[in-house]
Amino acid sequence: MSYNALDHLADLTQYLNLTKLFGSSIDIYYSNWLSWLFTPLIAVSLLPGIIIIMLYITSSLLYIYKLHRYRLLDAYDKDIWDAGRKVVSAIWDALGWIWHGYEIIGIENIPPGGALLVYYHGAVPIDFYYICSHILLYEGRLINPVGDRFLFKIPGWSSLLEAFGVIPGTVQSCAALLRKGNLLAIAPGGVYEAQLGDHNYELLWRQRLGFAKVAIEAKVPIIPIFTRNIREAFRSFNVCQSFWHWLYQKTHLPLVPIYGGFPVKLTTFIGSAIPYDESHTPESLAKLVTQNMKEMINTHQSKPGNIFGAIAERFIRRKNKLSD
């Protein structure tokens, strides 16, 4: 009986020794596995923050420029923001070329006079930053965006919004700006489309007519704009979408988490102008623009979007209807 007890004690001691020997190795392998699992998730969660940081850097540079603008008036005697805009536009244009292989097709469709640019709103409208920068640098024209009112409440962004002519915009103020021969940009889907859209690229314009009223009031053409793979560069967290929809209806703020920053190929397509026609009503014009945008998406975007395919597109040219 004592012999069996000693036997069991020896077995138990041996088991404990083996546990100590292999336990540390198991812990190490488990830790490595956790690191391998969560590192990509952490990375794609942090990348959208980098864009926010860049926007703050842009705004800070413009604020510093604003402080010294009087010393530069001799060199720039027409627009105090001209030099500052071009400096930060050069930075954003370089980022687009390096990180996304960014290009624009159809830039000749933008007329020399006033025009309303209507674009699809991605989770992060980084393509729009690239469009504004490129057209300012190479065409010498400033695009005035219509921004959601919450933008004007973000601390530290006032210089950025002022320099690039962002306006909350009523129909009358937007039309007045267009009649002066300026370019104005509106995303009818706005924050709602940015937050609740997904890689199926469905338009979420909710029968909005404001942009059509602006174009009719100003008697200017509408230029539809769509960027291929914009939903693959950054994505909204679409799980529990009914909850996010409820939250947006309550707050009208961009509270849906965003992840991404993937180096996908981004190509902006600028469609043919939809000319002013006095016979159009806001409803008929909005319907026509919606149809045009849907056709552009169907022509230039594979659905559902695929992140790996969009990255590979930087190296493999697309064929048939998805070709450039």
Side-chain angles (χ1 to χ4, degrees):
M1 195 69 179
S2 61
Y3 176 77
N4 287 340
L6 290 173
D7 244 4
H8 286 307
L9 182 61
D11 289 342
L12 180 60
T13 303
Q14 185 178 11
Y15 172 76
L16 292 173
N17 289 335
L18 287 172
T19 301
K20 289 180 180 179
L21 177 63
F22 294 106
S24 58
S25 297
I26 292 171
D27 285 343
I28 292 172
Y29 287 129
Y30 183 65
S31 299
N32 289 341
W33 180 80
L34 287 177
S35 299
W36 175 84
L37 177 65
F38 287 108
T39 297
L41 297 177
I42 294 171
V44 299
S45 299
L46 292 177
L47 282 170
I50 294 174
I51 299 300
I52 300 298
I53 291 170
M54 285 197 63
L55 288 170
Y56 268 105
I57 292 173
T58 299
S59 188
S60 299
L61 289 173
L62 289 167
Y63 180 72
I64 293 169
Y65 170 75
K66 183 179 180 180
L67 291 178
H68 297 281
R69 65 189 184 278
Y70 295 114
R71 296 180 179 87
L72 300 172
L73 284 179
D74 290 338
Y76 300 96
D77 57 0
K78 51 181 180 178
D79 184 350
I80 64 168
W81 286 115
D82 188 55
R85 274 196 299 258
K86 288 180 179 176
V87 169
V88 297
S89 292
I91 295 172
W92 282 96
D93 190 65
L95 175 65
W97 180 73
I98 293 169
W99 194 247
H100 293 292
Y102 182 71
E103 61 180 320
I104 300 176
I105 295 175
I107 199 169
E108 67 279 359
N109 290 329
I110 298 178
L116 178 60
L117 311 182
V118 173
Y119 64 98
Y120 174 85
H121 203 308
V124 175
I126 194 165
D127 58 324
F128 184 68
Y129 309 154
Y130 297 156
I131 294 168
C132 291
S133 299
H134 188 92
I135 290 180
L136 179 65
L137 288 174
Y138 296 97
E139 304 296 322
R141 301 191 70 186
L142 175 67
I143 297 176
N144 295 269
V146 174
D148 196 289
R149 294 184 185 278
F150 85 88
L151 292 173
F152 299 87
K153 299 177 182 179
I154 299 177
W157 279 31
S158 59
S159 296
L160 173 63
L161 300 177
E162 182 184 349
F164 283 91
V166 183
I167 58 173
T170 63
V171 171
Q172 291 72 27
S173 63
C174 289
L177 191 147
L178 286 167
R179 281 194 288 264
K180 295 177 181 177
N182 296 303
L183 297 175
L184 183 74
I186 297 178
V191 176
Y192 182 85
E193 185 170 68
Q195 296 276 277
L196 301 175
D198 59 25
H199 59 298
N200 289 308
Y201 290 88
E202 181 183 356
L203 290 184
L204 302 179
W205 289 6
R206 300 180 295 166
Q207 289 82 47
R208 285 191 168 180
L209 302 176
F211 70 95
K213 292 178 181 178
V214 168
I216 292 172
E217 178 78 15
K219 300 181 180 180
V220 296
I222 292 179
I223 316 295
I225 296 177
F226 172 72
T227 298
R228 184 165 69 208
N229 299 327
I230 187 59
R231 283 280 170 190
E232 280 56 72
F234 291 91
R235 285 190 171 179
S236 301
F237 188 74
N238 292 122
V239 178
C240 302
Q241 193 165 23
S242 59
F243 168 75
W244 298 118
H245 182 272
W246 171 84
L247 186 62
Y248 175 81
Q249 295 296 338
K250 292 292 183 181
T251 65
H252 293 279
L253 293 174
L255 299 177
V256 179
I258 293 172
Y259 66 96
F262 304 109
V264 302
K265 173 70 175 178
L266 292 180
T267 304
T268 292
F269 294 89
I270 301 177
S272 300
I274 300 171
Y276 167 72
D277 185 340
E278 62 181 8
S279 66
H280 272 309
T281 64
E283 290 79 9
S284 65
L285 181 56
K287 183 178 180 180
L288 179 60
V289 176
T290 300
Q291 290 173 345
N292 271 259
M293 185 66 74
K294 287 181 178 180
E295 289 174 5
M296 290 181 70
I297 293 173
N298 291 334
T299 300
H300 301 299
Q301 180 67 55
S302 57
K303 294 184 290 185
N306 181 279
I307 293 172
F308 293 108
I311 294 173
E313 190 182 323
R314 296 190 64 173
F315 311 101
I316 303 172
R317 292 195 62 82
R318 313 187 79 183
K319 297 179 181 180
N320 302 328
K321 73 172 185 177
L322 296 178
S323 68
D324 293 342

